[in-house]
Amino acid sequence: MEIKLAGYNVESEILDQITAQDNSIPRLTPETISAAYARISRSSKEIKELRKEAREDVQKARQSNQRIIFEMSHHSVAEHAVFNFDIIGVSRLALEEIEKFRLVSYTEKSQRYVTLDGDFTIPEEIPSNDSHYRSLFINTVEIQNQFYKKAFLKLKEYLFDQYPQKIANKSEKKVVEGWAKEDARYILSLATQGQVGVTINARNLEHLFRRFTLSSRAEVREIGKLLFQRVEKITPSLILFPTPSRFVASLSESFTKKLNTFYSQKNKDQESTPIPLEPQILSYTQNADDIILASLFAFSNQIHYSQALDFVGSLNFEEKKSLYIELFRFMEFFDAPPRDFEFPQITFQAVISASNFAQLKRHRIATLISGDYDTAFGNIIPPNIKIIGMEDEFNHIITETNAVYRQIKEKYPQVADYILTNSHCRRVIMKMNLREMYHFIRLRADAHAQWDIRNLASNLLEKTREIMPLSTLLLSGKSQFVEQFEQIYNQKPNFLI
C-alpha cells in the first residue's frame, strides 16, 4: 500500500512568490491535477507519473481536459481543481446567494460574534443621480444601525446583570456579549456588509457562474463576473460553460407566466389559502419506522427487501420498540444513526426570519426552497428587546422601514429587499431525511443554539416524534441527550455533556 499527498491548499501570495523567483517554473494551475486524474481510468501508468507528465506540459494537460470535459462529457474531472476565495464587502442578501451551493464550503463573518461597524451596500440599481431614493435608502439604514448600537449596549448591560457568574470568566463573558449582539442584529438591514471564505471546485464554480449571470441583482452578477476573472486565466480548460443554457435562462420566466395563466383561469373566484406562520409538516414517509427496520434486516440477513418489510410489519408495536431500543443502546450524543435512516423523508413549511434563515441554509444536504422576503409575514422581535423596553422603538423603525421598502419597490423592485432587516420573514419549504433531521435537531434544538432557530427545531422535533415515534427515540438536542437516554435505559451514556 502507498498513500501519497499529491497536493494541498496554498495561498496565492506564496504561489506568486515562487513563480517570481523562478521564471522557468510553468504556470501553477490545478488543471494538471485534473488532467492527471482524468487519465487514471485509461492508463496503465502510476498516478505520480501521470501527474509528472501533466506538470511538465501544461498546454497538453489543458488540451486533454478540454477534450475529456467537452467532447467526452466527463465533467467530474473539474472537481479535482479546488479554489479558495476571500469574498469581502458584500451584502447579506448577496451572501445568501453565494451560500446556496450544496457542495461548497463556507465560513462567514458572524453577526452573532462580531460587533459590526455599520458598513452597508448601496445597490447600484439606485443611481447616484437619484438623490431622493439614495438618501431615503441611506437614511433608513443609518437609523437601523444607530438602533443596533444603542440596543447592543443596553442588551449587554442587561445580560451582564443577569449572568454575573458568567461574566467573571473571560470566555463566558464573550458568550454573554455574543447574546447581546445576536439580539441587536435583528434590526440590521440585509444591505449590511459581511465577508466569507469560500472553498469550491471548478465544476461547482461553473454552476455558480451560470446562476449568478441570471440574477436580478447587479451585485450578484458582479460577484460572478469578478470570480470568473480571477480564475479564467488559471484554469481555462476547466471552466468551459460559464453562461446559462437556453433552458435554464428561459425556465423561470416562461414557466411562471404559463403557470400563472392556468391558475388565474381555474381559480377566478377562489381565495388564496393563507400561509400559516407556525411550522407545518407538508408530507412525510408513511411507515417510516418499519422501513428502517426492514432495510437493516434485509441486508443483515441477505433477503429481499419486500420480504423483510413483510416480516417487520408482522411485529407488534412493543416488539418493534424493543428492536429500536437495542439499536440505540450504545449511541452517544455525537453519533449519527445508520444510513438506513435516510429512507424516511420529512417535508415542512415554515415562515422564518432572515436571522433564522442565515443558519438554516447551512444544512445543505437537505433540500431548501425559499421565497422572497414579505412584509406581510410580520417580524420576529427578540424577547430581550421587549424585556429592556425597546420594543416600541424597534417596531417604529420597522414601520418606517416597511414604508421605505414599498416606495423603493415601486421604482426599483429588484433591490427593495436590501432595506429589509434580519427580523423580516420569508417562507421556506425544506425536505430532510431522518438522518439529517437527527443532525439538525442535535445542533439546533440544543440549549446553546441561537433561540430563533432553536424554536423552529424544537417545534419540528415534537412534530417528527409524532409521525415517527420509534425511530426518533433518541431524537433530541445535544443538551437533552443524556436525559433522553436515561429515560429509556435507566442509566447514563458513556459520554456526558
Side-chain angles (χ1 to χ4, degrees):
M1 178 186 291
E2 179 184 7
I3 298 176
K4 183 176 177 63
L5 179 63
Y8 51 87
N9 295 359
V10 179
E11 294 182 14
S12 60
E13 290 84 354
I14 296 174
L15 297 177
D16 291 342
Q17 289 177 11
I18 293 171
T19 52
Q21 291 169 6
D22 187 349
N23 292 329
S24 66
I25 296 176
R27 172 172 283 278
L28 298 172
T29 169
E31 290 170 301
T32 57
I33 292 282
S34 290
Y37 284 2
R39 293 179 61 198
I40 290 174
S41 63
R42 302 188 181 202
S43 175
S44 59
K45 296 178 181 178
E46 288 192 2
I47 300 175
K48 58 186 177 183
E49 188 176 347
L50 294 174
R51 288 196 296 104
K52 182 174 182 293
E53 289 177 0
R55 204 165 54 241
E56 291 177 347
D57 193 339
V58 174
Q59 189 57 38
K60 185 178 178 180
R62 285 175 170 165
Q63 291 170 353
S64 174
N65 283 336
Q66 289 173 336
R67 184 174 64 256
I68 290 169
I69 295 173
F70 189 79
E71 296 176 12
M72 301 171 68
S73 296
H74 294 323
H75 296 262
S76 61
V77 300
E79 295 173 17
H80 293 297
V82 178
F83 306 91
N84 306 105
F85 291 104
D86 304 340
I87 301 180
I88 304 164
V90 297
S91 72
R92 187 66 174 259
L93 273 181
L95 287 171
E96 289 182 355
E97 294 302 312
I98 292 167
E99 296 177 23
K100 274 186 176 178
F101 298 86
R102 180 171 282 152
L103 302 178
V104 182
S105 300
Y106 313 96
T107 303
E108 181 186 338
K109 177 180 179 180
S110 174
Q111 293 184 355
R112 294 178 64 191
Y113 303 119
V114 180
T115 307
L116 302 178
D117 297 323
D119 296 330
F120 59 92
T121 296
I122 304 173
E124 67 176 70
E125 287 90 340
I126 305 177
S128 56
N129 60 4
D130 192 340
S131 58
H132 171 70
Y133 277 92
R134 282 181 77 90
S135 296
L136 195 63
F137 184 92
I138 292 169
N139 291 340
T140 303
V141 174
E142 286 180 345
I143 289 170
Q144 295 165 348
N145 289 345
Q146 288 168 10
F147 180 90
Y148 165 80
K149 294 173 183 176
K150 182 166 64 171
F152 167 59
L153 293 175
K154 200 165 181 178
L155 284 163
K156 186 169 73 169
E157 181 182 359
Y158 165 72
L159 291 169
F160 278 12
D161 287 341
Q162 292 296 303
Y163 300 97
Q165 292 182 330
K166 283 185 177 294
I167 65 170
N169 179 287
K170 187 176 180 180
S171 60
E172 289 291 308
K173 183 178 180 180
K174 288 184 178 180
V175 171
V176 177
E177 190 172 311
W179 295 342
K181 292 171 187 174
E182 74 177 34
D183 283 352
R185 68 177 169 147
Y186 273 71
I187 202 64
L188 290 174
S189 74
L190 299 178
T192 301
Q193 289 185 352
Q195 59 184 12
V196 62
V198 177
T199 300
I200 183 170
N201 66 49
R203 191 178 191 184
N204 281 284
L205 191 57
E206 199 172 64
H207 292 326
L208 182 149
F209 294 147
R210 292 200 289 269
R211 186 181 294 174
F212 280 22
T213 298
L214 294 173
S215 176
S216 62
R217 297 188 179 107
E219 181 188 16
V220 176
R221 296 194 299 272
E222 181 66 11
I223 292 169
K225 178 182 174 183
L226 292 175
L227 289 172
F228 182 70
Q229 290 175 359
R230 300 298 180 269
V231 301
E232 63 175 330
K233 292 182 180 178
I234 298 173
T235 54
S237 69
L238 297 178
I239 309 294
L240 299 179
F241 305 103
T243 55
S245 67
R246 183 182 176 188
F247 167 74
V248 173
S250 64
L251 177 65
S252 178
E253 184 177 349
S254 61
F255 172 76
T256 302
K257 185 177 180 180
K258 189 158 192 173
L259 188 63
N260 288 340
T261 300
F262 284 155
Y263 183 78
S264 61
Q265 291 171 350
K266 295 179 181 294
N267 295 273
K268 290 180 181 178
D269 303 320
Q270 185 176 338
E271 293 185 5
S272 297
T273 302
I275 297 170
L277 299 182
E278 284 294 311
Q280 185 180 37
I281 300 290
L282 300 179
S283 64
Y284 62 92
T285 302
Q286 302 285 338
N287 226 18
D289 293 338
D290 286 13
I291 287 170
I292 293 169
L293 290 179
S295 176
L296 290 164
F297 183 60
F299 284 99
S300 65
N301 289 273
Q302 297 300 315
I303 63 173
H304 196 284
Y305 172 78
S306 60
Q307 183 182 351
L309 188 60
D310 288 342
F311 164 70
V312 172
S314 71
L315 301 176
N316 62 41
F317 181 84
E318 290 303 321
E319 288 171 330
K320 294 174 190 176
K321 184 176 181 180
S322 70
L323 287 172
Y324 274 104
I325 288 174
E326 201 57 42
L327 175 65
F328 290 132
R329 184 171 298 279
F330 300 107
M331 185 178 237
E332 302 292 345
F333 72 88
F334 49 77
D335 285 320
R339 185 155 283 186
D340 310 75
F341 279 62
E342 293 179 12
F343 287 120
Q345 304 281 339
I346 303 116
T347 301
F348 68 88
Q349 174 178 269
V351 173
I352 61 174
S353 71
S355 287
N356 195 332
F357 181 77
Q359 300 166 85
L360 186 66
K361 72 180 188 296
R362 296 174 190 168
H363 295 269
R364 299 189 300 278
I365 299 302
T367 299
L368 175 61
I369 307 297
S370 56
D372 295 332
Y373 288 102
D374 191 338
T375 56
F377 290 139
N379 297 75
I380 302 297
I381 305 176
N384 285 335
I385 290 288
K386 300 176 182 179
I387 291 172
I388 64 173
M390 297 189 75
E391 181 181 6
D392 289 345
E393 187 177 353
F394 186 101
N395 283 328
H396 175 73
I397 293 173
I398 292 300
T399 300
E400 295 297 313
T401 297
N402 290 345
V404 172
Y405 166 80
R406 288 189 290 272
Q407 290 183 60
I408 294 175
K409 194 168 186 177
E410 285 184 7
K411 190 168 184 180
Y412 304 107
Q414 298 91 345
V415 297
D417 283 3
Y418 279 89
I419 203 68
L420 298 180
T421 69
N422 285 324
S423 70
H424 280 85
C425 296
R426 72 194 318 174
R427 177 171 58 129
V428 299
I429 295 178
M430 194 169 195
K431 183 179 76 172
M432 290 185 185
N433 64 56
L434 186 55
R435 193 169 190 243
E436 172 66 10
M437 183 66 81
Y438 259 87
H439 169 72
F440 175 74
I441 296 297
R442 280 279 189 277
L443 184 64
R444 303 302 184 180
D446 180 70
H448 298 93
Q450 193 265 344
W451 60 267
D452 198 352
I453 198 168
R454 186 174 67 242
N455 290 342
L456 173 65
S458 298
N459 190 299
L460 291 173
L461 168 59
E462 295 307 315
K463 286 178 165 57
T464 306
R465 281 177 176 167
E466 290 175 8
I467 59 178
M468 301 174 184
L470 298 179
S471 51
T472 59
L473 283 175
L474 283 181
L475 183 65
S476 69
K478 187 173 68 173
S479 56
Q480 295 88 41
F481 180 82
V482 172
E483 179 184 352
Q484 190 84 2
F485 189 95
E486 203 168 5
Q487 285 178 2
I488 298 170
Y489 297 101
N490 295 316
Q491 65 180 54
K492 296 183 185 297
N494 285 339
F495 292 87
L496 302 181
I497 304 167

